[in-house]
Amino acid sequence: MTTPRREPPQLESTLRLKAFGLHLLGSLVALFVVDGIFDSITFTGVQPLLLAAVLLSFTNIFLKPLLLVATLPLTVMSAGLLLPVLNGLLLMFVAQLTPGFQVSGFWMAVLASLAVSLVGMLFAMATGQMRVRGVRVNRVPGTVIDVEAREKKDERE
């Protein structure tokens, strides 16, 4: 069995910084789009939007994994329905820390966090941070996207 090739430490830290920058930009775009969609989410200017994007990125990277582990039994018992609630609470937390960023209520924060997640996922797919499996895209103009699905064979046979 071959071990995966590791990048040199300097290149690895550069790649992590690039990934964080893309995550931050994705949060910024997602918050901007959500601000345009919902009237109950308001930013008073560009500075609160930038600060909220930075705080949201940091909470998603550092605080959210800890909260996921702490609430794992409840998340499993609720079949994952606790995750949007947790994301809404994190969005409300960021709104409390950011002057000039307001969310009208808890359920609006949950709905907005779902929209932020969706826009962030689309941004990650567009920038190559996330890949969709099973999709082949031919780069020749005029061709069609082809999706191929295969049934997994049982390894015991």
Side-chain angles (χ1 to χ4, degrees):
M1 184 188 297
T2 61
T3 58
R5 187 173 61 112
R6 290 189 51 99
E7 300 291 341
Q10 188 176 22
L11 181 61
E12 190 173 308
S13 65
T14 303
L15 291 174
R16 286 185 183 178
L17 186 61
K18 180 183 173 188
F20 176 74
L22 285 174
H23 189 274
L24 178 64
L25 188 60
S27 295
L28 180 69
V29 168
L31 286 172
F32 180 75
V33 168
V34 167
D35 179 40
I37 293 173
F38 299 112
D39 290 334
S40 301
I41 307 284
T42 57
F43 290 96
T44 58
V46 176
Q47 288 178 338
L49 180 64
L50 290 171
L51 181 59
V54 169
L55 289 175
L56 187 63
S57 293
F58 276 113
T59 56
N60 281 335
I61 290 172
F62 297 112
L63 187 59
K64 187 175 179 181
L66 296 173
L67 291 173
L68 287 175
V69 170
T71 60
L72 187 61
L74 289 174
T75 303
V76 170
M77 288 190 316
S78 70
L81 294 176
L82 184 67
L83 293 176
V85 172
L86 188 64
N87 287 338
L89 288 172
L90 286 174
L91 190 63
M92 286 185 74
F93 176 68
V94 169
Q96 289 293 320
L97 293 178
T98 308
F101 174 33
Q102 294 180 353
V103 179
S104 67
F106 171 72
W107 292 111
M108 189 65 220
V110 171
L111 184 63
S113 71
L114 287 171
V116 166
S117 297
L118 180 66
V119 172
M121 182 183 69
L122 293 173
F123 183 84
M125 287 169 52
T127 58
Q129 290 178 294
M130 179 186 295
R131 293 189 180 155
V132 180
R133 295 180 185 220
V135 176
R136 293 184 313 190
V137 179
N138 296 324
R139 304 262 178 198
V140 181
T143 58
V144 179
I145 296 175
D146 184 24
V147 178
E148 181 178 305
R150 295 184 194 167
E151 188 173 344
K152 186 176 179 180
K153 294 182 180 181
D154 191 8
E155 296 176 7
R156 290 180 255 156
E157 294 182 36

